[in-house]
């Protein structure tokens, strides 16, 4: 079906007035010359003289991507991709949009651009909730084993120096059997909170198993990691945790290994040191054993 110029203009106006999308027309320099009513949420009036530049609607962290999309359109290229960006809103609240920009042309000459913006706040919220559900341990709210593996792989791939620490609650199965799973869950939450409190903001804490925790300590020497993790073990033993009707001293065993060679090697060395800590009586920290030359 073909439309006359007047019909196309009327159709554009109808869509602009009724759609929840924000429709923006710019001149050759990217200045807004017309916009649909939805632009008011960004603190811009839809009609009047030449308004702000399109990029004035974009928060700093999104400017580079939107600049590329706008420049491409003003050079006459038909944009087919949507670009996500945080907008500058009238109430200073971070609101995310996606935008697609296409050139306006007459006699093969570009005289402006037509952009469609739509809010994606709800979509981003759902995406973030899905990410949290996938990579977060629901009991302790720490990252889970999948996230830990991904972050350790990244550190090794980037050649980032540091250490891996592992902790295990001592006699955890006995606690569960004697006092019940609720008491065991309380112990796990207490230890997770202790790790958050005692470790540094750069350290990455994960629950990787029933009673086991892993900590990635970026840019940390073995000596520094030993001092940090030894305090965790000592402090845990000094706490009197309420378990059932009693207050008991709950202990943890720990280990430290350098992040090097490969993910499997790093985990294996940390697990072997943790096994040694438990074999030597628990409630202690063990460092990985140095390898003999040629082994």
């Amino acid at each position: 079906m073909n439309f006359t110029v007047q019909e196309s203009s009327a159709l554009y106006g109808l869509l602009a007035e009724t759609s929840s999308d924000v429709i923006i027309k710019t001149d050759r320099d990217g200045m807004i010359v017309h916009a649909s009513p939805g632009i008011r949420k960004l603190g811009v009036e839809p009609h009047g003289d030449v308004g702000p530049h399109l990029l004035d609607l974009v928060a700093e962290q999104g400017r580079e991507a939107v600049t590329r999309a706008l420049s491409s359109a003003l050079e006459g290229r038909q944009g087919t991709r949507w670009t996500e960006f945080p907008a500058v809103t009238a109430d200073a609240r971070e609101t995310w949009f996606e935008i697609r920009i296409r050139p306006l042309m007459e006699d093969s000459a570009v005289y402006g651009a037509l952009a469609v913006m739509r809010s994606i706040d709800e979509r981003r919220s759902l995406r973030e909730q899905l990410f949290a559900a996938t990579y977060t341990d629901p009991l302790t709210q720490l990252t889970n084993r999948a996230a830990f593996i991904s972050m350790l792989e990244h550190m090794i791939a980037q050649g980032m120096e540091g250490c891996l620490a592992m902790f295990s609650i001592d006699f955890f199965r006995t606690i569960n059997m004697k006092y019940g799973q609720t008491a065991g869950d309380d112990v796990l939450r207490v230890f997770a909170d202790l790790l958050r409190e005692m470790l540094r903001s750069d350290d990455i804490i994960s629950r990787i198993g029933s009673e086991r925790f892993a900590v990635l300590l970026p840019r940390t020497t073995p000596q520094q990691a030993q001092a940090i993790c030894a305090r965790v073990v000592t402090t845990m033993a000094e706490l009197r945790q309420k378990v059932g009707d009693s207050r008991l001293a709950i202990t943890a065993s720990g280990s430290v290994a350098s992040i090097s060679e490969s993910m499997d090697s790093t985990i294996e060395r940390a697990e072997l040191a943790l096994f040694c800590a438990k074999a030597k009586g628990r409630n202690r920290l063990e460092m990985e054993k140095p390898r003999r030359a040629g082994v």
Side-chain angles (χ1 to χ4, degrees), residues 72-248:
S72 178
L74 293 177
E75 290 169 4
R77 293 194 287 272
Q78 296 287 341
T80 58
R81 297 180 57 185
W82 290 90
T83 301
E84 295 186 6
F85 70 95
V88 177
T89 60
D91 58 4
R93 182 177 65 87
E94 184 178 86
T95 301
W96 280 81
F97 285 82
E98 63 181 4
I99 189 169
R100 184 163 65 184
I101 311 172
R102 291 187 172 177
L104 290 172
M105 306 180 71
E106 186 174 4
D107 297 329
S108 299
V110 177
Y111 65 89
L114 189 66
V116 178
M117 288 172 49
R118 61 179 53 139
S119 174
I120 56 170
D121 269 350
E122 183 175 353
R123 185 201 308 168
R124 285 183 64 88
S125 176
L126 290 173
R127 188 187 304 165
E128 289 166 2
Q129 291 175 36
L130 178 61
F131 180 87
T134 303
Y135 293 105
T136 302
D137 171 53
L139 178 65
T140 62
Q141 297 303 302
L142 298 173
T143 52
N144 60 18
R145 183 176 182 84
F148 158 72
I149 293 296
S150 178
M151 290 181 286
L152 178 56
E153 284 181 330
H154 174 75
M155 289 182 66
I156 291 174
Q158 295 298 314
M160 188 182 302
E161 295 183 349
C163 290
L164 164 62
M166 285 189 174
F167 296 95
S168 176
I169 305 295
D170 295 330
F171 304 109
F172 183 72
R173 182 174 298 179
T174 301
I175 294 171
N176 268 342
M177 291 176 62
K178 186 173 182 178
Y179 298 101
Q181 185 174 339
T182 299
D185 288 349
D186 288 342
V187 170
L188 293 172
R189 280 190 285 260
V190 166
F191 189 64
D193 289 342
L194 179 67
L195 290 174
R196 288 190 187 94
E197 181 180 340
M198 299 198 67
L199 294 171
R200 307 162 305 174
S201 59
D202 287 346
D203 300 331
I204 303 165
I205 312 167
S206 305
R207 182 187 176 201
I208 60 171
S210 174
E211 82 291 358
R212 300 183 69 185
F213 297 80
V215 181
L216 297 173
L217 301 103
R219 297 172 293 278
T220 306
T221 66
Q223 293 75 23
Q224 292 170 330
Q226 181 178 22
I228 294 168
C229 296
R231 288 197 298 271
V232 171
V233 171
T234 301
T235 303
M236 185 65 180
E238 293 171 349
L239 294 177
R240 303 296 292 185
Q241 170 66 23
K242 189 176 188 306
V243 180
D245 296 327
S246 307
R247 285 195 173 274
L248 305 176

Side-chain angles (χ1 to χ4, degrees), residues 42-86:
L42 301 175
V44 178
E45 285 301 314
H47 300 288
D49 297 332
V50 175
H53 196 279
L54 178 64
L55 295 177
D56 291 337
L57 308 180
V58 183
E60 185 64 33
Q61 60 266 43
R63 291 249 176 113
E64 183 177 349
V66 178
T67 296
R68 287 197 300 268
L70 177 61
S71 298
S72 178
L74 293 177
E75 290 169 4
R77 293 194 287 272
Q78 296 287 341
T80 58
R81 297 180 57 185
W82 290 90
T83 301
E84 295 186 6
F85 70 95

